[in-house]
Amino acid sequence: MTTLVHVSDLHFGRPAVAERLDALREFIEGIEPDGIAVSGDLTQRCTNREFAQASAYLGSLREIAPYVVIPGNHDIRWLGAVARNLGFAGLLRKGAHNFKYSRYRRHISDDLSPSLEVPGAVIAGLNTAHGISRGSLTKRFRDLGVIGHVKHADIQRVKAAFEAADPGAARIVMIHHNPIRGELSGRHGLANTEQALHSFSDLGTELVLCGHDHQDAVHTIEKGAHGLVISTAGTISNRIKPGRASSFNLVETDEDNLRIIAHSWKKGVGFVPSEDRSFPRRTLSRPT
Ligand SMILES: [Fe+2]
Ligand SMILES: [Fe+2]
């Protein structure tokens, strides 16, 4: 069996809670998973200080298991990038792009869409945090710079990661923005949800990992060639929705089943299992 710990929205800075971060690391130490998936929003305000804390924490996780990480909308300097784009009539557009991801690249990784293969699973990370750009335009003012989108070129990267992996490996895509409307937030994270999910399905993806909504949820949908399981991890931080707790998801997969066990924070106790869902794997309908 392959075991993955999926965490999201750590939000180093004011929302981060040391006690919960320590408890998460202890949990990971206890189960020694095959891999750790971190689906973005490492920081709250994209500062060097927050990134340094996030980097140190990820470094401590790496001693336990390999991880794969992508940026979230809080990890990019999108406002400054917009100013650079406008100020010089697009002449500095490349500079604006570099500026946008500069702190993430300096502290976390140069690769914004990395993948990780562990025995039994391949996780293709795909950056959906592009700030204000053509694919992420929205009429909702509060979603400006917040909403994400999947770029076609990144779909090709997912395809390449899947093709390079062991044929029996569970195919998992990790994005930051939730493609399913949040139950409490009522918001979609992605601008091009339909197109993205069809593309993932057509590549034989079995599971999509995401965060951003700060509320854990597990969904199944039928798209394209076959169905997808979508696992949204909550947040480890205290930026929680009313009535919800900090949480993360444990993913277990073997030849027959895919299981997602949400773990929620219980004051005075720690992280405890809160939801347990199992699905049959769909490997038979995988494209060749
Ligand atoms: Fe977040
Ligand atoms: Fe986010």
Side-chain angles (χ1 to χ4, degrees):
M1 187 177 71
T2 302
T3 308
L4 305 167
V5 173
H6 171 210
V7 302
S8 198
D9 298 76
L10 282 75
H11 286 292
F12 276 91
R14 290 192 79 175
V17 184
E19 187 188 17
R20 292 175 209 172
L21 290 162
D22 290 346
L24 171 64
R25 185 169 44 221
E26 277 169 30
F27 176 88
I28 294 172
E29 268 168 351
I31 66 161
E32 291 185 3
D34 295 285
I36 305 165
V38 186
S39 53
D41 275 359
L42 298 173
T43 66
Q44 177 62 18
R45 296 188 174 277
C46 198
T47 66
N48 280 312
R49 185 187 165 89
E50 291 171 353
F51 270 123
Q53 292 170 343
S55 173
Y57 187 75
L58 290 178
S60 72
L61 296 186
R62 191 192 284 118
E63 290 173 16
I64 310 168
Y67 70 76
V68 57
V69 61
I70 52 171
N73 53 300
H74 279 254
D75 303 324
I76 66 170
R77 306 168 85 187
W78 62 269
L79 203 54
V82 170
R84 275 162 173 73
N85 258 333
L86 296 176
F88 297 91
L91 281 176
L92 293 181
R93 210 155 273 167
K94 190 161 187 295
H97 180 83
N98 290 339
F99 176 83
K100 199 159 42 174
Y101 300 108
S102 56
R103 287 194 177 148
Y104 183 88
R105 285 199 154 116
R106 187 187 315 157
H107 293 279
I108 305 299
S109 172
D110 206 31
D111 192 348
L112 304 175
S113 298
S115 57
L116 171 70
E117 184 176 6
V118 297
V122 53
I123 307 166
L126 192 162
N127 173 33
T128 51
H130 305 290
I132 293 182
S133 64
R134 203 181 304 166
S136 297
L137 286 178
T138 171
K139 287 179 192 156
R140 289 179 60 152
F141 186 73
R142 65 193 288 241
D143 280 341
L144 268 183
V146 173
I147 205 161
H149 73 279
V150 172
K151 289 188 171 178
H152 179 71
D154 290 324
I155 296 280
Q156 296 309 309
R157 292 184 60 155
V158 171
K159 186 169 188 260
F162 285 173
E163 284 174 356
D166 183 278
R171 293 182 170 188
I172 302 171
V173 170
M174 177 172 72
I175 54 179
H176 174 63
H177 292 86
N178 54 306
I180 301 285
R181 189 188 294 274
E183 186 193 337
L184 293 173
S185 68
R187 295 163 85 185
H188 265 111
L190 276 183
N192 59 345
T193 302
E194 285 293 313
Q195 189 190 347
L197 292 180
H198 267 103
S199 300
F200 296 157
S201 175
D202 290 346
L203 293 177
T205 304
E206 296 172 57
L207 172 65
V208 176
L209 305 177
C210 63
H212 183 64
D213 194 47
H214 291 206
Q215 182 186 353
D216 57 286
V218 180
H219 295 93
T220 53
I221 50 164
E222 294 294 327
K223 288 279 176 232
H226 65 87
L228 290 168
V229 177
I230 300 178
S231 168
T232 311
T235 175
I236 300 299
S237 77
N238 65 12
R239 278 175 63 96
I240 45 179
K241 298 236 156 37
R244 307 295 294 200
S246 298
S247 65
F248 66 86
N249 289 349
L250 177 64
V251 178
E252 294 177 351
T253 159
D254 59 21
E255 283 180 9
D256 303 314
N257 287 301
L258 178 63
R259 184 179 179 199
I260 296 158
I261 311 161
H263 286 66
S264 298
W265 179 253
K266 206 169 173 188
K267 206 173 173 198
V269 181
F271 285 107
V272 291
S274 52
E275 191 185 358
D276 190 337
R277 303 275 305 271
S278 284
F279 308 91
R281 284 191 57 194
R282 306 266 187 126
T283 43
L284 289 177
S285 55
R286 175 169 293 179
T288 50

